[in-house]
Amino acid sequence: MKRSAQQVRRFAKALLDVAGAGSGAEAVQADLAQVRRWLDAAPAFHVFAASARLGSREARLRALLELARAAGFGRLTAEFLARIEAAQALARLGEILDEYERLRRERAGIVRAEIVSARPLGAAQRAELARRCGAGRQLEISYREDPGLCGGFVARIGGQIQDYSVSGRLARLRRRLAEA
């Protein structure tokens, strides 16, 4: 693992360990969701985070802490951001947030899943698919449509892909006929 990837993982794991469980973790989660929105939707914050050459280290730290205070972040989140800035790793903040979220889900036993269907699914269909695909696991499911499937669905659960689509069945049939 490269040094930068280790740093990203170390920051994310440290925050997760310190935040613990319960209301402290929920507050940190809400604060980090706001930071994610800043990175995604506020060009000025994105440029500030990505460019360590904007201002002196002290001025950047003051600005970051003032921003955290104005946003109403808890002490833990403000200190976390300050440590990232002090380590000159603010440019990797998005990666750190991604790793934090991945580790949080892993610890909670939550598996990400995506179900792609040929047509929009009703509430009863979604519930049945969630029950069948869950197999005792807690799933966080996102749904989307892809008319190219012709019918059926494709479920991506963690690292597994379950293809029950018409186009997938036709592709498998083509391969079997080509091999015969």
Side-chain angles (χ1 to χ4, degrees):
M1 189 183 299
K2 292 171 33 178
R3 184 180 175 339
S4 58
Q6 288 174 335
Q7 184 183 41
V8 164
R9 184 168 174 81
R10 189 176 66 242
F11 275 122
K13 187 175 180 316
L15 180 60
L16 194 58
D17 290 344
V18 171
S23 62
E26 291 171 8
V28 167
Q29 188 68 24
D31 293 349
L32 294 182
Q34 178 62 43
V35 172
R36 172 58 74 192
R37 285 190 293 275
W38 289 344
L39 281 173
D40 294 342
F45 184 76
H46 183 79
V47 169
F48 173 79
S51 181
R53 295 183 183 182
L54 289 177
S56 67
R57 291 179 83 177
E58 295 80 22
R60 286 178 59 82
L61 183 58
R62 277 194 312 273
L64 191 60
L65 290 174
E66 178 57 30
L67 188 58
R69 186 196 62 73
F73 290 170
R75 179 190 55 80
L76 186 58
T77 305
E79 287 179 10
F80 172 69
L81 292 172
R83 288 188 186 271
I84 292 173
E85 172 58 33
Q88 296 181 328
L90 203 58
R92 304 194 70 106
L93 183 57
E95 295 171 62
I96 294 168
L97 295 177
D98 291 343
E99 181 66 7
Y100 173 86
E101 188 59 26
R102 188 191 70 74
L103 290 171
R104 184 189 69 76
R105 281 189 177 102
E106 184 179 283
R107 285 188 184 178
I110 299 171
V111 178
R112 276 192 145 168
E114 178 186 42
I115 296 179
V116 182
S117 60
R119 290 170 189 66
L121 299 172
Q125 291 170 315
R126 287 181 178 207
E128 180 63 18
L129 281 174
R131 186 187 67 73
R132 287 185 181 201
C133 293
R137 300 174 286 190
Q138 184 178 352
L139 296 180
E140 186 175 280
I141 304 175
S142 63
Y143 296 91
R144 68 180 176 89
E145 290 84 36
D146 179 2
L149 295 179
C150 299
F153 68 95
V154 176
R156 291 178 180 87
I157 304 167
Q160 296 179 329
I161 297 177
Q162 299 172 8
D163 188 346
Y164 299 101
S165 67
V166 172
S167 61
R169 289 178 185 174
L170 289 173
R172 288 189 295 277
L173 181 59
R174 262 187 244 118
R175 275 194 306 274
R176 275 190 259 151
L177 289 173
E179 292 171 358

